[in-house]
Each structure stands twice: as C-alpha cells, then as structure tokens.
Amino acid sequence: MSGEREQAAMRHALNLARRGPRGVNPQVGAVLLTPSGDVIAEGWHHGAGTAHAEVDALSKAPADAVRGATAVVTLEPCNHTGRTGPCSEALIAAGVARVVYAIADPGHDAGGGARRLREAGVDVSAGVLADEAEDLLSGWLTVQRLGRPHITVKWAQSLDGRIAAADGSSRWITGVAARADVHRRRALADAILVGTGTVLADDPALTARGADGDLAGDQPLPVVLGRRPVPEGAAVRRHPRPFLQFDDLDAALADLRARGVQTVFVEGGPTVVGSVLRAGLADDLLVYTAPVLIGGPRLAVHDLGVDTIADALRLRTTQVEQLGDDVLIVAHPPASDHPSEGES
C-alpha cells in the first residue's frame, strides 16, 4: 500500500475524530484499510464510556475482512483497561497486520500500545500527519503532559503596548476584523477566564459571537478569578452558561481539569496576565496590536519580575497575521514546545 493512501486515510481519521466531544478523553478517529488501500470501516470515539475509535471501527467491519488489514489511528492505541478494554489487544485479536498512528499517547496508563502491538508481530509506524494531530489534540495533550488545561493568553494593545487610555476607556483599540478573530477563537475554547478587575472595569459578557452579533453555537465556560464579588447586574451573569469564580489560579485550573476542560482562553487584565506569565503557565500568546498610540501607564502586562534584560521572557513567534489595519502576533514560550512523535 502506498504512503499516500495511508496519509489520505489519516487525514480522514482526523476529520472523524473531530466528530467526537472534547472532554476528559481525547478525540480520536480510526480507519481500517485492506492491503490494497480500500476502506473497510471507520470509527471515532463518541465520549467517555463508549468504545474507542479502533473498536468502533472494528465493530462495523466483517471479521474476515479485518485479518491482514491496516488500522490508521490518530493516536497510539491504548494499552490499558478502563471503562473499556485495551485497543491494542482488540487489534491483535482481530488479526490486524499493520497499525499506523499519528502521535504517541503520553499517558503512563494508556501508553505502551505500540510496544504491545510490536511484541505481537504487528507492523507499527508512527508520525503520519503528526503536526495535524498535535493541533487537534493540543488541549488534551497539555492536560496529559502538564496536568492542567492548555492556556492561551490574549490581549489587544496599542502600538506602544497600552490596553487603555488614562481614563480606563479601551473600546475599541482594535478594529472589526481583529475582534471577529477573537470571537472565533473564543468559540474554540472550553473556558474563558478574566479577573474581577476586568469584570468591574469592562463588564464583559465573555461570550463568543458571530459576525451578525448573534451568539455562537459553542460557548466557552465563563470563569472569574478573584475574591471581589461579581455585581448582580454584571453581563457575565447573563451568559448562557453559569459562571464559575475562584480565589486563585491554581484552584481554578484544578477544578477546570476535573470538569474535562482542555483549553482556557485568558483575557484578563494586566494583573491576571502577569500572574499567568510569571508562573510559566502560558502555552500560547495572542497579541492583537493596533496602529494607534496612547501613552500613559496602562500597560498590557504588570510586573514579570524582570530586573535585567538577560531575564526577559523570550518567546518564539509562530504566526503574524494582518487583520484589517491591525496585526496579530502568535507566540509561544519555549517551554510550551512538545515532541510530537515517538513511541511509549
């Protein structure tokens, strides 16, 4: 079978994976191919407690068609028994001859499927469309690797790094295109987090909206950080989902992880942003910069504990995008880089 057919099957498996819900378990897709590359069956993980993608695909295929087949899976088949049995054993029992997967499972319990398959004489290949799979599972992978949700920090600023004028006004520093991009990214996040200072100063709704101003179909869970009470008339209280409030960041992240939250979009003010950066918790930074000058003291980020330039937080720029008159810079701290290939 050609590598092109396996890549095409992996791309289809990634699309299948997106049909599954985000939560405690990863989104995974699987495609079963004949030795000549024809599709036998396909499947995906439908949520916690349901069959994993490989078993879902196997259940739809005639048993005699699977023997000698190739299984193309977006994540290394698991090798543990939880609510369901190990997928590695199911593939071996079905007589699959070859397994192709995109990225290794980083979990200590679930990982090791590739080794088990090889021990049983199954041909195993890793790393096919690994970057695409990493992108799909970035939030879940961060939870597995670091024990917390994937954190994206966002702010909008003037060219001179200010987020508001001296009187506190900040609407709108950036233009329509930049604000639309923010709402699109909010809709992709599981939760959106701000501090009580932002709630009291800006009264944000913390919703994701489309170009027409209507609520998007997927809404992030609103989270407020800080001890000050949220006013009864605050816009966040009218969010489609009840907001959560926590005294500190560690408690918030622990609770959100337990709820199955994989991605957190931080839109707090300079105090919250500074605390996230000082703690080394930011995986991505989105900085929307408008070609305006404001001056004054209202900087985007409060003290980071940098006393000399040698201690500056150095980032890696991965994207620069023009949005109308504004520019979006996407950057990552070096610590947020993770390997995408390998085997357990």
Side-chain angles (χ1 to χ4, degrees), residues 1-13 33 37 70-72 98-100 123 125 128-129:
M1 187 194 310
S2 69
E4 289 81 3
R5 290 213 174 186
E6 289 184 351
Q7 283 201 9
M10 183 66 76
R11 190 162 285 110
H12 182 52
L33 302 176
T70 293
V72 178
R98 176 170 165 80
V99 171
V100 177
D123 181 30
S125 180
V128 176
L129 301 188

Side-chain angles (χ1 to χ4, degrees), residues 113-125:
R115 186 188 316 113
R116 175 68 188 99
L117 288 163
R118 287 193 177 98
E119 291 171 350
V122 177
D123 181 30
V124 179
S125 180

Side-chain angles (χ1 to χ4, degrees), residues 189-213:
D190 296 329
I192 179 169
L193 183 148
V194 300
T196 51
T198 296
V199 170
L200 296 173
D202 298 338
D203 193 26
L206 303 186
T207 52
R209 295 182 178 274
D212 55 4

Side-chain angles (χ1 to χ4, degrees), residues 24 143 146-151 193 221 223 225 244 246 248-262 264 281:
V24 175
V143 173
L146 301 179
R148 60 161 176 80
H150 189 96
I151 297 176
L193 183 148
L221 178 67
V223 181
L225 196 64
L244 302 175
F246 301 93
D248 64 80
L249 187 58
D250 287 342
L253 295 179
D255 183 276
L256 293 174
R257 178 192 177 185
R259 293 172 185 266
V261 168
Q262 295 181 11
V264 177
L281 295 173

Side-chain angles (χ1 to χ4, degrees), residues 15-138:
N15 287 330
L16 291 170
R18 293 183 178 93
R19 299 183 186 181
R22 279 212 309 260
V24 175
N25 290 351
Q27 294 169 292
V28 182
V31 177
L32 299 175
L33 302 176
T34 66
S36 60
D38 295 325
V39 175
I40 301 170
E42 60 189 40
W44 66 93
H45 184 48
H46 294 257
T50 66
H52 288 189
E54 301 94 318
V55 176
D56 186 42
L58 289 170
S59 70
K60 300 171 183 174
D64 57 351
V66 177
R67 190 158 298 279
T70 293
V72 178
V73 193
T74 56
L75 182 67
E76 177 188 9
C78 69
N79 193 44
H80 83 298
T81 300
R83 296 187 187 181
T84 59
C87 292
S88 56
E89 298 296 343
L91 293 168
I92 293 167
V96 168
R98 176 170 165 80
V99 171
V100 177
Y101 67 89
I103 54 177
D105 191 323
H108 294 298
D109 294 331
R115 186 188 316 113
R116 175 68 188 99
L117 288 163
R118 287 193 177 98
E119 291 171 350
V122 177
D123 181 30
V124 179
S125 180
V128 176
L129 301 188
D131 289 344
E132 288 88 338
E134 279 272 347
D135 184 60
L136 172 66
L137 292 177
S138 61

